[in-house]
Amino acid sequence: MRKLAVDEMKRVDIEQYKLLEKTPMIVVLDNIRSMNNVGSFFRTADAFRIEELHLCGITACPPHRDITKTALGSTESVSWKYFDTTLKSVMWLKEQGYKVYAVEQVDTPIYLNAFEWNTSEKIAIILGNEVFGVSDEVLPLCEGALEIPQIGTKHSLNVSVSAGMAMWHLYSQWLNKLS
């Protein structure tokens, strides 16, 4: 076993990336306060060829040095839109026919490992503020809440880690349907 060199990974350039089919998923950032987390969202969205990010409320938008530091150029490859409220993003998504799910701990969760995405439907997931989670005003508009089962002593994961887990789970289901 040996590590691959960068040129062996056969990565596409940004122009080629933009022409490729995207995973039919939009990820909504609901008032994310850390620009490092925002950059991580971009980088993960690039890795799984996510259709688009919605940056909402206080979520910072590129270009910004702190976003760029963790995004590693993915702000150039990943499409994004800004909405002044998460509610406006969710309303837009619903009008476009997306099924919207929060990634949140609620009293009636759908555990992520048990969630089966009907990949013929467009999906959006909302990840919330590092302290307050997904906005209370948008929860009633969601089809459900996906929860990542945890068995440790802490009650939550970093939002960008949660996003990566949720995006990977959904991306892998979409990828499996293509094969």
Side-chain angles (χ1 to χ4, degrees):
M1 175 176 16
R2 69 175 178 77
K3 292 181 185 178
L4 292 176
V6 173
D7 60 335
E8 291 178 292
M9 293 183 198
K10 297 182 171 87
R11 301 289 187 199
V12 297
D13 65 26
I14 291 174
E15 294 310 311
Q16 291 170 317
Y17 179 94
K18 289 181 178 183
L19 299 173
L20 294 171
E21 181 180 11
K22 304 299 184 280
T23 305
M25 177 192 331
I26 291 181
V27 178
V28 179
L29 285 65
D30 179 9
N31 292 294
I32 302 298
R33 65 183 183 174
S34 164
M35 286 186 252
N36 291 320
N37 281 335
V38 174
S40 292
F41 273 91
F42 271 95
R43 194 166 164 191
T44 305
D46 175 275
F48 302 128
R49 246 191 274 148
I50 301 304
E51 180 181 339
E52 188 168 80
L53 293 177
H54 284 188
L55 312 179
C56 303
I58 66 166
T59 305
C61 298
H64 192 282
R65 180 178 42 115
D66 290 337
I67 295 172
T68 303
K69 183 169 71 173
T70 50
L72 294 178
S74 56
T75 56
E76 302 303 315
S77 58
V78 175
S79 294
W80 61 274
K81 287 185 174 81
Y82 175 76
F83 292 84
D84 61 353
T85 69
T86 305
L87 186 59
K88 288 180 182 175
S89 167
V90 171
M91 298 306 290
W92 183 89
L93 288 162
K94 294 233 171 238
E95 289 170 8
Q96 303 304 311
Y98 284 82
K99 301 287 184 184
V100 180
Y101 292 87
V103 177
E104 186 60 89
Q105 296 169 326
V106 298
D107 59 347
T108 56
I110 304 166
Y111 291 107
L112 183 62
N113 56 304
F115 181 71
E116 293 276 336
W117 172 22
N118 175 355
T119 57
S120 65
E121 296 178 336
K122 299 183 290 188
I123 193 169
I125 57 173
I126 306 171
L127 288 109
N129 177 275
E130 294 89 337
V131 175
F132 303 110
V134 174
S135 300
D136 290 337
E137 66 189 15
V138 301
L139 281 176
L141 301 175
C142 295
E143 269 65 47
L146 306 177
E147 183 176 332
I148 300 166
Q150 301 167 55
I151 57 173
T153 61
K154 302 300 174 192
H155 68 278
S156 67
L157 295 163
N158 174 279
V159 68
S160 68
V161 171
S162 295
M165 294 172 76
M167 282 190 248
W168 162 250
H169 180 75
L170 296 169
Y171 164 77
S172 64
Q173 288 185 17
W174 179 73
L175 191 61
N176 287 338
K177 298 287 180 175
L178 292 179
S179 355

